[in-house]
Amino acid sequence: MNGKEFLNKFKSTYLWANLLGMVLVIVLIVMGVKFGMDTYTHHGEAIAVPDVRRRSFDEAERLLKQLGFNVEVVDTGYVKTLPADAVLELSPEAGSKVKSGRTIYLTINASDSPVLTLPDVIDNCSFREAQAKLTAMGFLVGDPQYITGEKDWVYGVKCNGKSLNAGARVSIEDKVVLQVGSGTRDASEEVIVTDAVYDNMPEHGDVNSGEVDGFEVVP
């Protein structure tokens, strides 16, 4: 094949038609892939998350699914003034712009009030220490009940008039009362007083010991 024949092949309509067809196929494939990816990832589509707090779980789930979201309960809390299964929190937060198909995580209200385990504070710490520890754990601590004993020392814990021991389960709605020493002594306690005893002192009634007090009679 000489150079003239080689150049004539580039002038062939069939060759250029094939090249143009290949280019069109490549362009269509690229556009199809891009369109498919945009459709799959919902490119440019953002939906504001509605505020479903205080609504029942069923109502919130229905509304969120109508907008194309998935719904999942991840935690529970407790608010006394709200009914059981009411939505307390959601993530992403209400008003956030997210794509359809995202999962919205909900925290709902528990049907029963949570309970706490009473720590070992009885006869183990002062009133201030026990009060700080219980409050930090979430207990509702009332005014102390003072009893006879060492001042500010915790001698017991009561709830609804009943004495509690360490490990007892207490609702966060119930108030606990610490029994604290007032620093006074019980009048019924027996006080024993003893005479001082000195070395070389004869016992009482030992008149024959032969020892005489060294004192002088002055007329």
Side-chain angles (χ1 to χ4, degrees):
M1 179 184 296
N2 55 34
K4 185 177 180 180
E5 292 177 348
F6 181 77
L7 292 175
N8 287 334
K9 286 187 176 292
F10 279 98
K11 297 179 181 180
S12 173
T13 305
Y14 177 76
L15 175 63
W16 285 107
N18 286 337
L19 292 176
L20 181 61
M22 293 175 61
V23 171
L24 289 175
V25 169
I26 293 173
V27 171
L28 290 175
I29 291 175
V30 172
M31 293 181 63
V33 171
K34 184 178 185 302
F35 178 78
M37 290 296 294
D38 289 348
T39 302
Y40 178 76
T41 59
H42 304 280
H43 179 71
E45 180 182 354
I47 304 174
V49 178
D51 190 357
V52 295
R53 290 174 298 178
R54 296 179 176 269
R55 298 184 183 223
S56 68
F57 170 73
D58 291 339
E59 182 182 0
E61 183 182 37
R62 183 172 58 255
L63 177 59
L64 291 171
K65 286 189 173 182
Q66 285 177 352
L67 295 174
F69 297 116
N70 299 317
V71 180
E72 183 177 342
V73 176
V74 293
D75 200 2
T76 59
Y78 183 72
V79 177
K80 185 178 180 180
T81 57
L82 293 179
D85 289 338
V87 177
L88 301 179
E89 297 292 340
L90 66 159
S91 178
E93 296 180 354
S96 302
K97 296 293 187 69
V98 297
K99 295 179 181 179
S100 177
R102 282 283 301 275
T103 299
I104 307 299
Y105 301 98
L106 302 180
T107 299
I108 63 174
N109 199 32
S111 57
D112 298 319
S113 61
V115 294
L116 302 172
T117 302
L118 183 69
D120 187 12
V121 296
I122 300 173
D123 203 21
N124 196 35
C125 55
S126 67
F127 168 65
R128 290 182 180 274
E129 293 172 338
Q131 185 183 43
K133 186 173 185 178
L134 294 175
T135 302
M137 292 178 64
F139 284 90
L140 182 62
V141 182
D143 295 331
Q145 176 187 357
Y146 288 99
I147 61 176
T148 57
E150 184 179 343
K151 185 174 178 60
D152 290 335
W153 190 251
V154 176
Y155 288 97
V157 179
K158 283 191 171 185
C159 181
N160 296 326
K162 297 181 180 179
S163 297
L164 303 179
N165 295 320
R169 305 284 284 175
V170 182
S171 169
I172 61 172
E173 295 183 2
D174 293 334
K175 185 180 296 185
V176 295
V177 176
L178 298 175
Q179 293 180 299
V180 182
S182 62
T184 59
R185 185 188 299 274
D186 192 340
S188 63
E189 294 181 4
E190 182 180 0
V191 179
I192 302 176
V193 180
T194 60
D195 294 332
V197 179
Y198 300 96
D199 294 338
N200 302 324
M201 176 179 286
E203 297 181 358
H204 294 293
D206 191 1
V207 295
N208 298 321
S209 62
E211 297 182 3
V212 179
D213 292 339
F215 62 88
E216 181 181 355
V217 178
V218 179

